[in-house]
Amino acid sequence: MKHSKGSPPELSRRAFLGGGALLVGFTLMPGRLLAQAPREAKGGGDVGLPKALGADPALESWIRIDADGAITVFTGKAELGQGIRTALIQVAAEELSVTPADITLVTADTGRTPNESFTAGSQSMQESGTAILHAAAQVRAILLGLAAERLGLPAERLTIANAAVTAPGGGSLGFGELVADGGLREATARPGTALKPVADYTVIGQGVRRIDIPAKVTGGPAYVQDLRLPGMVHARVVRPPSPSARLRGVDTGEVERMPGVVGVHRDGDYLAVVAEREWQAITASRALASAAVWDERPSLPDENDIFDTLLGLRSEDTVIHDRRLAGTGAAGGGRRLSAEFRRGYQIHGSIGPSCAVGLFEDGGMTVWSHAQGMFPLRAALVEMLGLPEDRVRCIHVEGSGCYGHNGADDAGADAALLARAFPGRPVRVQWMREDEHAWEPFGPAMVSRASGSVGRDGGIADLTYEVWSNAHSTRPGGAGALMPAWHLAQPFEPDPPKPIPQPAGGGDRNAIPLYAIPNARIVHHFLPEMPLRVSALRGLGAYMNVFSLESFMDELAREAGTDPVEFRLRHLDDPRARDVVTLAAERFGWSAARLPSGHGRGFGFARYKNLAAYCAVAVEVMVARETGATRLLRAVAAIDSGQAVNPDGIRNQTEGGIIQSASWTLMERARFDRTRVTSLDWSGYPILRFDQVPESVDVHVIDRPGSPFLGTGEAAQGPTAGAIANAVADATGARLRELPLTSDRVKAAIGV
Amino acid sequence: MRIPRIVGGAVALAVLGAAGFTAIAWRSGIEPIDPPASASFDPVQVAEGARLAAIGNCMQCHTAPDGKPFAGGYPLKTPFGTIFGTNITPDPETGIGSWSEAAFQRAMAEGVDRAGSHLYPGFPYDHFTKVTERDNRALYAFLMTREPVAADAPPNQLPWPLTFRPLLAGWKLLFLETGEFRPDPSKPEDWNRGAYLVEGLSHCGACHTPRNALGAEEKDKSFGGGESDGWHAPALNQASTAPVPWTKDSLYSYLRTGVSADHAVASGPMAPVVRNLSRVPDTDVQAIATYVADRMGAREAPADPPTPAAEAPRQPEGRAATIYRGACATCHDANGPLQFASPVGLDRATSLAQPDPRNAIQVILHGVETPDAKAAPLMPGFANALTNAQVADLAAYLRTRFTGQPVWDDLEAEVGRARTGDSSE
Amino acid sequence: MITLSVNGRDHQIDADPATPLLYVLRDDLHLNAAKFGCGLGQCGSCMVLADGLPVVSCVTPVVALEGRRIRTVEGLGGADDPGPVQRAFIDEQAAQCGYCIPGFIISAQALLERTPSPSDAEIRTALKPNLCRCGTHIRILRAVRRAADAMRTSVAANPGGEGGQ
């Protein structure tokens, strides 16, 4: 976080690392090969290396050991509050046989770390974790090789521990000594890594305490919001009052004379003020907002008809799954069930609104940002600013919790625009609460339709599922992905949105159920036109699709007269899926026994993206019959994230996912009229508070030693929503199919 | 002030009670019944009862904080002591499960429980007596189909001799006029519907009409402004001091959404009323607004609108004005952060224009909370941040700046009472 | 000039007296724990203690706080010597992004100083003004219970001492 005035910031990782990369051979050590199955590298990397490592195979891109023995690990991923720093350090420490405290981790920084694009999609452990595991294993092998050469002993006879390699006789060489001659400098990762045997793990699999928590609970600097650079000034942006508003005029004279004001910046419809002190910037921005005259027009859809509006938009249709088993057609099925599900717009709602610091100095731009992708942000800023790539550096500094594409990139753009307008001084831009609520990209409103029947054998005979959705990622991209760039006199237009292809999918993420169904047809109706700005929100389409499909599974189970858990197991072949379902049901105490009046139980399951963590959630809810108010009383989850690097981290993420999803599912809906977004604060967009928090949330982690890391962070969102809806149906006899399940809707469904 | 009034009231009641005692104090019990099966009630009637119960705000006084609906235990604070709302679920032991419809009808019409005891007028039978037999039948059907809950309400906290219920017979003799509502044929239908609801089941006067020393509504000051739970219930007649006169439309908006942009946000004891009204058909809310607007009369707007002192000549800023800039202006100034969905403008706020400072003080101290997690204003309280003197200064500053009216008396002491919850007159 | 007592030290503050305490803490005193969350007093991220009571510093002007004893999370302990509430949050790993946590620590500290053995309902009521978006609530509840135990034990062991300074 340090930056000394006068010296230009480091602008190139290559310059930092020095020189090109040469292949350095080393002896393959005996051990487990490729158990953390590297996926095939795309785009030129070596086949057989994990994707991220294949893309940047220079080992010093990932791990640097200084002559004094200091170990620095570099990841292109970022800490978003998910605890990834601790888990990645654990991975590196394990393969290097050092303690986590020996390692310094540098996260996403275009000047220093590998380009790992976005920290998103619960892929940090799968991608960066696997890359670091392999890089560390290769560094370990190199260290052993170098020591073997120095000590004149075969590597097999040496032991590596406590940041040193030791000979049987007692001779020992520290890592620093071993690499002092530059032994790592030009080493490049090669396929066929020998990994440490899982049985020898001492760090992976341990609930190592998060390295960031002590500072966070004692007031240490921990966030981009805490960055204080010498000479820093404070900026606030005066946003248009509505998406289509145009700035007719503004008299800035009075604001410019306010105490502490450094200047007002206007560029087209983009309006901001910079002041010496933060409160001065805030009061000046209020005055500036007061002075600005906007032309507004209704450009938003009618909130009351939003689902019809979506269904009426032009769609690009893709059949993403079509399976017909001969002889088991719908004829075998009984009564046909059909249902339509809906989900309103929802927001990320990070507790700390977006923030960034920019500094434009000596022709170079540096932006400190909490966005999910420093390299993509740099690319967008390069286009927006018209600067060469090597003059723009983006450094990730943690922000408040990130649950997808929120205002962080846009705040980065604000910082860059204002730093350029006020060169030489660091400019800190802090969004206000209403900026974040109104302008962050929302999680899209969606509609889905399911129909199906149960066969004579009591199993699902056929299922049709269709989902209508806008894009679930409008991230940078180009400058047109940055909202502030839309308002400039020379505006940038957003790129046309594109669907994320299967198997991960975007709006159709998890639209294909993992259940074995003889006849199934799944259609994704991608809606390119966006009535409101939307992008990635934790889980993307999986939240809605799992809610829909798990609700419908219960409807089918009821039709079949089968217990919902038993019905799910009947359709699950994957043993790991069966394990989480069984464990969650068992630990929950799933039964058909009568619950107290107003209480209901429900179950939900999915494997996130059908390729990441398996997660099953069982819940008990209580519905107040007179008001419809629904409270999640307890939740029990089982999750299989493959090799569990930090089981407590997995539990923490999953507990959080369950509670956040409960808040989305029971309460959350962004509001708007025909012109403006109207949910601008925590009263207009309430989220779960402590009086509504469940009595207990228990998460059971199934560890799979030796199997690949599976993304965890988003796995609970969909299953929780399905489980809650099913529990409400169990408690009330009423099936609610529109999110959120607010008390008014529940009460209306219950009747008197 | 308070103690003599209570004692005086009690003594007067005792005298009157003795006189009336022999005549009307004794009432017969009505035979208990087995709770009727839910299925024995017509669902249409139950649904009608649900709407009526919402209009009557029954749940509020018959549900303890965080308690089960209608199971009693809500502490109703009166100048005489605390009366606890009773359990009106169909539990036969602790609720009204053993009440026949006749017993229920009698309780509503005459304020007598099934066993024959007089009920305290905290249960507003002086209004409920106007409810029609048909509507009482629907209410009965609704209540008897609720979930039975076994729960005893805590004993009332009343001083002797008020614990002696036969005294209430005297009170009734003086103040209770029984009988169903009689429509005024000269008025339109929705006016009459509104009058029926407002004067009867909605019992608006219970809070909005001042009460005499014996706790009875002062009929000649009907809707002249009363109190509830430490809050002032503003006048709903021509004594209203709202800077912008209320109209049918603004009353309707307030009752339907909880906000009238030119007046107020429903807070304090009014918040649950609005919450319950959200389940009431639009026509009934319109009717209530029609009747109340008529009662308020076509008050002429003041010849000169109140002149806020905002543009006062430049002088050193007082402490309260500084506090206002740092604590209040953020939201309450035009073009605050919620500039495009701003709270009620303080120059129009009824709470500042009222003769009674308690609502302004309550809001400053305790804020405005989101009820039931539905979208509604959410203002923090400043009880911990500001001293009593600072709150009093701030209230005085707001009063002067936004209404131009004389500062309220005895503000700091009033703040002290509001802070301790001891603010009923 | 306004004199503010923060964490046991007097500070001369040269700022507009209407400035909410939050900005003075962060920008003048370089304290990080109190966070900007909403600027509306709705989320509790900015909470500090004034004479032991939790206040939302984002809407509390410094002029109102002269003569009051202000404590921030920094005043409860540091990373090397955390106070009992901070230690309980570390021991329970009660943070995800952690942005809201200092506000929760303040609410918990205020509660436990007045109510050493709070019921579950009392804890929930005390924490209601604070919002957490990551869903760390269950761990926060556990941390507050753990802190209550620790503070009672330490008071029992040292009856003269003041809990949590």
Side-chain angles (χ1 to χ4, degrees):
Chain A
M1 278 194 221
K2 264 186 269 173
H3 170 69
S4 53
K5 234 183 150 176
S7 64
E10 292 164 317
L11 291 172
S12 153
R13 184 176 61 82
R14 282 288 162 225
F16 175 79
L17 292 172
L22 289 175
L23 208 69
V24 170
F26 53 88
T27 319
L28 270 181
M29 297 299 295
R32 184 167 54 91
L33 285 175
L34 303 175
Q36 282 297 341
R39 283 186 280 144
E40 287 190 7
K42 287 180 187 154
D46 276 323
V47 171
L49 284 176
K51 186 170 111 186
L53 190 53
D56 193 343
L59 287 177
E60 275 216 332
S61 294
W62 301 90
I63 296 168
R64 198 182 76 189
I65 299 174
D66 292 340
D68 64 358
I71 304 169
T72 310
V73 173
F74 300 86
T75 173
K77 298 294 185 184
E79 177 67 57
L80 307 177
Q82 79 281 48
I84 202 69
R85 286 172 67 194
T86 308
L88 291 176
I89 286 175
Q90 279 181 266
V91 167
E94 185 68 71
E95 281 296 342
L96 293 173
S97 295
V98 298
T99 63
D102 294 332
I103 293 177
T104 303
L105 183 75
V106 175
T107 58
D109 176 345
T110 59
R112 297 180 75 182
T113 69
N115 178 358
E116 293 196 76
S117 191
F118 295 105
T119 304
S122 302
Q123 297 178 116
S124 294
M125 289 312 295
Q126 281 175 239
E127 293 180 356
S128 201
T130 308
I132 289 172
L133 185 81
H134 284 252
Q138 301 208 11
V139 168
R140 171 193 177 90
I142 291 172
L143 291 168
L144 281 167
L146 290 167
E149 216 171 278
R150 296 259 198 102
L151 296 166
L153 286 165
E156 290 86 346
R157 295 192 52 203
L158 303 176
T159 51
I160 186 164
N162 303 323
V165 180
T166 308
S172 181
L173 288 164
F175 287 1
E177 292 172 70
L178 287 168
V179 300
D181 302 339
L184 268 184
R185 190 153 301 148
E186 289 168 352
T188 302
R190 296 179 56 178
T193 317
L195 298 174
K196 194 177 193 177
V198 173
D200 294 349
Y201 279 179
T202 58
V203 185
I204 286 180
Q206 302 301 309
V208 170
R209 288 185 167 201
R210 289 256 305 265
I211 58 166
D212 51 338
I213 288 183
K216 288 176 173 178
V217 302
T218 54
Y223 305 93
V224 68
Q225 284 89 346
D226 302 333
L227 208 56
R228 288 181 201 92
L229 302 180
M232 188 170 80
V233 289
H234 295 270
R236 292 293 183 280
V237 180
V238 175
R239 300 275 174 219
S242 54
S244 60
R246 291 278 166 270
L247 184 56
R248 190 196 302 163
V250 57
D251 178 356
T252 60
E254 201 168 318
V255 174
E256 279 163 350
R257 286 189 295 275
M258 286 177 74
V261 168
V262 175
V264 171
H265 177 65
R266 181 183 173 180
D267 181 349
D269 297 323
Y270 187 81
L271 189 60
V273 60
V274 174
E276 295 290 343
R277 301 174 66 98
E278 194 164 11
W279 179 244
Q280 290 168 337
I282 293 169
T283 46
S285 72
R286 305 271 186 254
L288 192 57
S290 192
V293 182
W294 301 91
D295 290 319
E296 296 183 74
R297 60 183 172 83
S299 65
L300 302 180
D302 184 344
E303 191 188 344
N304 299 313
D305 296 336
I306 185 62
F307 301 107
D308 288 338
T309 301
L310 291 176
L311 290 168
L313 295 175
R314 181 182 68 82
S315 72
E316 295 169 9
D317 303 337
T318 313
V319 178
I320 57 170
H321 181 79
D322 199 3
R323 175 184 158 108
R324 300 275 143 198
L325 281 196
T328 58
R335 193 162 68 99
R336 186 147 205 90
L337 303 183
S338 296
E340 180 175 298
F341 299 89
R342 299 162 160 195
R343 174 230 187 167
Y345 292 97
Q346 293 171 324
I347 71 170
H348 302 79
S350 296
I351 296 299
S354 295
C355 180
V357 179
L359 174 61
F360 189 55
E361 200 173 47
D362 304 330
M365 178 69 73
T366 306
V367 173
W368 289 264
S369 159
H370 58 108
Q372 288 175 288
M374 289 301 105
F375 290 86
L377 176 61
R378 179 177 66 175
L381 293 180
V382 159
E383 185 188 346
M384 183 180 77
L385 301 169
L387 285 173
E389 186 176 277
D390 66 358
R391 304 310 294 163
V392 180
R393 180 179 178 188
C394 294
I395 302 171
H396 187 271
V397 187
E398 205 180 335
S400 177
C402 165
Y403 322 101
H405 181 193
N406 58 18
D409 295 275
D410 299 329
D414 287 327
L417 289 169
L418 294 170
R420 183 174 64 179
F422 299 89
R425 294 188 75 175
V427 181
R428 177 182 185 271
V429 184
Q430 168 71 66
W431 281 23
M432 301 304 280
R433 169 49 50 203
E434 62 277 14
D435 296 330
E436 193 79 29
H437 264 62
W439 287 98
E440 64 150 274
F442 296 163
M446 296 170 72
V447 184
S448 69
R449 286 178 183 159
S451 73
S453 64
V454 174
R456 285 190 201 94
D457 60 353
I460 302 170
D462 75 292
L463 173 78
T464 305
Y465 181 76
E466 299 180 70
V467 57
W468 286 259
S469 178
N470 281 147
H472 282 256
S473 176
T474 58
R475 291 190 173 98
L482 302 170
M483 175 267 288
W486 306 345
H487 300 142
L488 302 178
Q490 301 287 316
F492 292 85
E493 298 291 328
D495 292 334
K498 286 197 283 284
I500 301 169
Q502 287 284 329
D508 55 344
R509 180 165 293 181
N510 280 94
I512 305 170
L514 203 66
Y515 302 111
I517 299 169
N519 299 288
R521 180 179 161 85
I522 317 289
V523 185
H524 178 208
H525 303 276
F526 176 73
L527 311 172
E529 187 193 328
M530 288 178 282
L532 277 88
R533 184 192 192 198
V534 296
S535 193
L537 173 61
R538 194 175 186 180
L540 279 59
Y543 168 66
M544 168 63 171
N545 291 319
V546 174
F547 159 74
S548 308
L549 288 164
E550 287 299 284
S551 294
F552 201 63
M553 277 300 277
D554 262 36
E555 295 189 56
L556 290 168
R558 188 186 161 94
E559 183 72 6
T562 307
D563 173 83
V565 171
E566 193 186 320
F567 192 70
R568 282 172 174 78
L569 286 171
R570 184 194 166 114
H571 293 90
L572 283 174
D573 297 331
D574 184 333
R576 292 172 70 173
R578 298 180 62 86
D579 284 354
V580 292
V581 169
T582 306
L583 183 66
E586 193 181 288
R587 295 297 170 93
F588 178 82
W590 188 267
S591 78
R594 245 179 89 93
L595 290 170
S597 159
H599 291 232
R601 58 170 81 79
F603 203 89
F605 159 80
R607 181 182 188 194
Y608 185 52
K609 295 192 271 193
N610 288 336
L611 46 79
Y614 299 82
C615 182
V617 179
V619 303
E620 181 176 344
V621 303
M622 181 172 69
V623 180
R625 176 186 168 196
E626 299 301 334
T627 62
T630 302
R631 185 167 160 215
L632 176 60
L633 285 182
R634 64 187 185 104
V636 176
I639 185 158
D640 172 351
S641 307
Q643 170 92 52
V645 173
N646 189 327
D648 191 57
I650 293 171
R651 276 194 294 274
N652 201 352
Q653 280 283 287
T654 308
E655 290 166 19
I658 289 168
I659 289 180
Q660 188 179 66
S661 178
S663 180
W664 292 356
T665 301
L666 294 172
M667 307 174 68
E668 295 186 26
R669 177 186 177 196
R671 309 302 299 263
F672 49 91
D673 60 24
R674 298 304 299 266
T675 305
R676 297 167 171 174
V677 172
T678 56
S679 46
L680 298 174
D681 66 349
W682 295 121
S683 73
Y685 190 95
I687 63 173
L688 191 99
R689 282 187 186 267
F690 242 98
D691 52 344
Q692 295 138 318
V693 166
E695 305 291 338
S696 66
V697 176
D698 295 316
V699 176
H700 302 279
V701 176
I702 299 181
D703 192 9
R704 301 283 182 190
S707 43
F709 309 138
L710 299 180
T712 298
E714 298 160 282
Q717 307 309 106
T720 303
I724 289 174
N726 290 333
V728 169
D730 186 47
T732 65
R735 170 63 59 183
L736 279 90
R737 301 189 182 89
E738 181 169 338
L739 294 167
L741 315 180
T742 56
S743 54
D744 282 349
R745 287 177 179 163
V746 174
K747 178 62 186 166
I750 296 172
V752 182
Chain B
M1 189 65 193
R2 295 186 54 204
I3 299 302
R5 189 168 122 170
I6 288 175
V7 172
V11 169
L13 259 186
V15 173
L16 292 164
F21 185 73
T22 44
I24 58 156
W26 185 83
R27 302 298 304 264
S28 60
I30 293 179
E31 279 302 299
I33 59 165
D34 290 331
S38 287
S40 66
F41 294 97
D42 174 6
V44 176
Q45 202 170 43
V46 172
E48 179 59 20
R51 291 190 285 273
L52 291 165
I55 289 173
N57 200 28
C58 308
M59 202 191 308
Q60 182 59 24
C61 290
H62 288 283
T63 305
D66 300 323
K68 297 246 184 177
F70 302 113
Y74 175 85
L76 181 71
K77 289 179 192 143
T78 76
F80 307 100
T82 299
I83 296 171
F84 288 90
T86 52
N87 181 344
I88 53 169
T89 70
D91 180 64
E93 304 301 324
T94 61
I96 60 168
S98 65
W99 290 36
S100 61
E101 189 193 311
F104 182 79
Q105 293 272 7
R106 184 175 75 172
M108 291 290 282
E110 299 175 37
V112 175
D113 74 5
R114 185 197 59 74
S117 289
H118 291 287
L119 295 167
Y120 290 105
F123 176 60
Y125 45 78
D126 47 340
H127 293 276
F128 292 170
T129 188
K130 296 185 165 58
V131 179
T132 62
E133 193 178 316
R134 183 175 176 278
D135 281 353
N136 278 331
R137 188 172 303 133
L139 280 166
Y140 179 73
F142 171 72
L143 290 171
M144 296 306 268
T145 52
R146 296 309 89 196
E147 189 183 332
V149 179
D152 279 310
N156 295 329
Q157 294 160 2
L158 291 171
W160 185 89
L162 299 185
T163 46
F164 185 61
R165 287 181 183 252
L167 289 180
L168 290 162
W171 189 93
K172 288 181 178 177
L173 199 62
L174 282 174
F175 303 120
L176 178 63
E177 197 180 313
T178 58
E180 281 188 19
F181 173 79
R182 280 193 301 275
D184 178 346
S186 72
K187 300 284 189 184
E189 198 178 325
D190 68 331
W191 186 97
N192 271 309
R193 175 69 180 167
Y196 167 68
L197 295 174
V198 167
E199 301 293 347
L201 202 49
S202 281
H203 63 282
C204 306
C207 297
H208 289 276
T209 297
R211 291 177 183 271
N212 63 22
L214 296 175
E217 290 177 28
E218 298 183 57
K219 292 270 157 59
D220 56 335
K221 293 183 189 160
S222 173
F223 284 160
E227 67 174 79
S228 173
D229 226 357
W231 291 68
H232 173 68
L236 301 182
N237 61 15
Q238 297 193 0
S240 166
T241 53
V244 179
W246 286 93
T247 61
K248 184 202 159 188
D249 287 346
S250 56
L251 283 163
Y252 170 77
S253 161
Y254 178 78
L255 295 171
R256 187 85 283 185
T257 67
V259 183
S260 165
D262 285 334
H263 301 89
V265 166
S267 320
M270 196 61 196
V273 174
V274 169
R275 195 153 66 226
N276 275 318
L277 284 179
S278 70
R279 303 217 184 81
V280 169
D282 222 38
T283 48
D284 279 348
V285 180
Q286 294 277 11
I288 291 172
T290 299
Y291 176 70
V292 174
D294 187 52
R295 288 294 304 267
M296 297 187 94
R299 185 167 67 95
E300 281 180 22
D304 292 314
T307 40
E311 299 305 319
R314 289 203 175 271
Q315 54 189 349
E317 183 183 69
R319 187 180 60 171
T322 311
I323 290 176
Y324 174 84
R325 277 202 294 123
C328 318
T330 298
C331 296
H332 286 283
D333 264 9
N335 287 304
L338 307 179
Q339 54 187 310
F340 307 119
S342 69
V344 174
L346 294 182
D347 55 342
R348 284 159 291 160
T350 55
S351 57
L352 292 177
Q354 284 161 10
D356 187 313
R358 281 181 293 176
N359 295 5
I361 292 170
Q362 290 278 12
V363 168
I364 295 171
L365 282 179
H366 305 303
V368 177
E369 242 195 84
T370 305
D372 282 0
K374 279 190 207 121
L378 178 58
M379 170 186 153
F382 289 84
N384 292 345
L386 303 179
T387 63
N388 288 359
Q390 288 169 342
V391 174
D393 282 358
L394 182 59
Y397 169 78
L398 297 174
R399 171 88 165 168
T400 309
R401 171 167 168 192
F402 291 104
T403 73
Q405 295 192 51
V407 172
W408 294 293
D409 294 334
D410 199 23
L411 265 175
E412 195 171 336
E414 196 65 75
V415 175
R417 286 193 286 275
R419 195 186 276 280
T420 55
D422 178 25
S423 62
S424 49
E425 233 179 82
Chain C
M1 276 289 185
I2 282 179
T3 305
L4 278 187
S5 159
V6 179
N7 297 330
R9 275 188 52 198
D10 280 353
H11 298 268
Q12 300 298 314
I13 305 299
D14 181 15
D16 176 355
T19 308
L21 175 65
L22 175 68
Y23 305 106
V24 168
L25 294 176
R26 294 190 60 84
D27 301 336
D28 294 70
L29 306 186
H30 291 192
L31 297 171
N32 297 308
K35 297 285 192 294
F36 176 79
C38 64
L40 307 167
Q42 295 177 341
C43 76
S45 303
C46 63
M47 273 188 178
V48 300
L49 296 168
D51 295 334
L53 298 169
V55 302
V56 276
S57 69
C58 71
V59 287
T60 304
V62 286
V63 70
L65 295 165
E66 274 187 297
R68 309 277 299 273
R69 192 164 145 257
I70 297 160
R71 282 180 297 161
T72 71
V73 158
E74 286 89 346
L76 305 178
D80 298 328
D81 58 337
V85 179
Q86 292 166 320
R87 179 175 296 282
F89 273 75
I90 296 171
D91 288 345
E92 292 293 347
Q93 292 285 286
Q96 287 186 44
C97 84
Y99 195 88
C100 66
I101 296 297
F104 277 105
I105 290 175
I106 291 293
S107 281
Q109 182 80 23
L111 169 71
L112 298 178
E113 286 180 10
R114 276 168 297 146
T115 313
S117 304
S119 67
D120 203 59
E122 284 172 319
I123 296 175
R124 285 170 184 263
T125 303
L127 302 183
K128 199 183 165 194
N130 300 80
L131 288 175
C132 165
R133 186 55 164 164
C134 294
T136 318
H137 303 72
I138 298 290
R139 287 169 184 245
I140 293 171
L141 274 179
R142 279 208 301 266
V144 177
R145 285 191 214 108
R146 178 190 279 259
D149 291 346
M151 286 165 78
R152 277 199 311 274
T153 311
S154 103
V155 169
N158 177 21
E162 193 187 343
Q165 36 177 313

